[in-house]
Amino acid sequence: MKRNSQLSGVLHVLLHMAEHEGPVTSEMLAKAMQTNPVVIRRIMAGLRDEGYVRSEKGHGGGWSIACDMSTVTLRDIHEALGSPSLLAIGNRTETPGCLVEQAVNAQLDKTFEEAEALLLRRLGEVTLAALSADFHKRFAKRRGAHQLEKAHAD
């Protein structure tokens, strides 16, 4: 079963946009996400409607961050994408009159609801700024390791 990686992809793109000087075109973003620019425009339009990004037309135009990344959470972005299902598993529904299937589905429904509530709560605790800070920490560590390697080679 294929997983929905749209949230991950959009977060990836948003962090790249935050690091980029000036607007980024749909074509550039589509290449980074390995998709069609039309798909990017559709996704970004939902984020624009929520005020997370803005678009500029014409030469030198494209998409840019329009929000305070310290106030926007992963849950906000998830919701701007239309709140796609967070779980890839579901119930069997072939025999709805079966009491066993009803009992199993009732328990699974309750468990799925609790799991989704936990995921949404956790997504609401992480901001875009926190993701950016984690990226910068990783980047600094990698840069330091490369400088150390270079110093040892000299």
Side-chain angles (χ1 to χ4, degrees):
M1 177 179 291
K2 189 171 189 312
R3 293 183 181 193
N4 181 337
S5 61
Q6 185 180 38
L7 177 61
S8 177
V10 169
L11 294 171
H12 186 120
V13 163
L14 289 173
L15 287 183
H16 274 293
M17 289 171 56
E19 297 297 318
H20 193 269
E21 291 279 331
V24 184
T25 66
S26 298
E27 289 73 19
M28 289 171 63
L29 296 174
K31 188 174 182 180
M33 287 185 69
Q34 299 178 344
T35 190
N36 189 295
V38 173
V39 173
I40 294 295
R41 285 190 280 277
R42 190 177 321 123
I43 291 168
M44 298 303 273
L47 298 178
R48 182 187 55 215
D49 293 345
E50 296 299 322
Y52 303 137
V53 298
R54 67 178 151 266
S55 61
E56 299 172 33
K57 294 184 181 190
H59 181 71
W63 299 97
S64 56
I65 301 290
C67 63
D68 178 353
M69 291 179 40
S70 67
T71 64
V72 178
T73 67
L74 277 57
R75 182 176 181 164
D76 295 329
I77 301 301
H78 169 74
E79 290 172 355
L81 294 173
S83 299
S85 178
L86 293 170
L87 302 175
I89 57 177
N91 292 335
R92 178 185 157 91
T93 59
E94 284 76 11
T95 53
C98 174
L99 298 179
V100 171
E101 185 171 289
Q102 291 173 18
V104 168
N105 288 352
Q107 188 57 52
L108 288 177
D109 283 341
K110 180 181 174 195
T111 304
F112 295 156
E113 288 171 16
E114 291 170 0
E116 189 160 286
L118 177 63
L119 284 169
L120 288 172
R121 186 172 70 244
R122 182 65 184 122
L123 289 173
E125 295 170 353
V126 181
T127 64
L128 294 178
L131 287 182
S132 180
D134 185 38
F135 158 72
H136 283 277
K137 184 172 101 180
R138 292 169 188 271
F139 182 74
K141 185 176 180 181
R142 178 177 289 171
R143 187 175 54 204
H146 287 297
Q147 289 173 347
L148 185 60
E149 289 172 13
K150 187 176 178 181
H152 284 288
D154 291 339

